[in-house]
Amino acid sequence: MKRLLSAAIIAVTATTAFADSHEPASLTAVNDRFNEAAAAGDAEALIGLYADDTLWIEQGKRVTQGLEGPRQLFEFVTQNAGEVTHTIDHLFVSEDETLAVMIGSVEAVVKRAGLDATGTYLFVLKPEDEGWEIVTDMWHQHVE
C-alpha cells in the first residue's frame, strides 16, 4: 500500500504539470461520464470506465485487483437508488500524457441504506483508444 501511494506521488510530482487551469477535455469527460452514469443508475456504464485489472483501494480493506470492487459498490448504489457525484479538485497529467491523476470530492447519498457521506477519491488514469481509463481508484469517506 505504501509503495502504491509512493509510486503515485512520485509519478505526479516527478513528471507532471499541474493542470487545474488547463484540464484536458478528455479527462474531464471521464468525470462527466461518471456523474452521468451515476445519475442514470447505470452500474455497467460506471464499471466500463475502469480497466479490467484496476487496483481498487477501499478504506479499511486490502487492495484488490480487477472489477469486483467497483462492481460491488456501483451495483449497491444503483440498486438502492443512490446519488453519487464527483468533482475534480486537482488534475495532474504527465508531460508525455501517458498518465493522469485526478483527485476530487465525492458526495454519496443512499437513503435506503441510511448513507449520507462525503469523501475524497484519487484516480490514476491511462490513455486508451477510446479515451482515458481508470487503472487505480482509491477513496475514503470523511469522518465528521
Side-chain angles (χ1 to χ4, degrees), residues 52-81:
D52 290 341
D53 60 349
T54 292
L55 291 177
W56 181 256
I57 307 169
E58 186 175 347
Q59 181 171 297
K61 296 184 179 179
R62 292 186 182 273
V63 174
T64 61
Q65 190 166 18
L67 295 174
E68 189 57 30
R71 183 173 305 287
Q72 286 177 358
L73 176 64
F74 298 136
E75 285 180 353
F76 166 79
V77 169
T78 58
Q79 289 170 0
N80 287 287

Side-chain angles (χ1 to χ4, degrees), residues 129-144:
D129 294 337
E130 308 271 328
W132 292 86
E133 184 174 59
I134 301 166
V135 295
T136 301
D137 184 342
M138 180 170 65
W139 59 273
H140 74 275
Q141 183 176 328
H142 298 161
V143 178
E144 298 298 319

Side-chain angles (χ1 to χ4, degrees), residues 24-31 33 45 47-51 97 125-134:
S26 60
L27 280 162
T28 57
V30 173
N31 189 64
R33 287 195 313 272
I47 295 161
L49 297 171
Y50 289 79
E97 297 184 7
L125 304 103
K126 68 177 184 175
E128 288 296 323
D129 294 337
E130 308 271 328
W132 292 86
E133 184 174 59
I134 301 166

Side-chain angles (χ1 to χ4, degrees), residues 103-117:
I103 303 169
S105 301
V106 59
E107 293 185 23
V109 177
V110 184
K111 291 180 182 175
R112 292 181 188 169
L115 175 69
D116 187 350

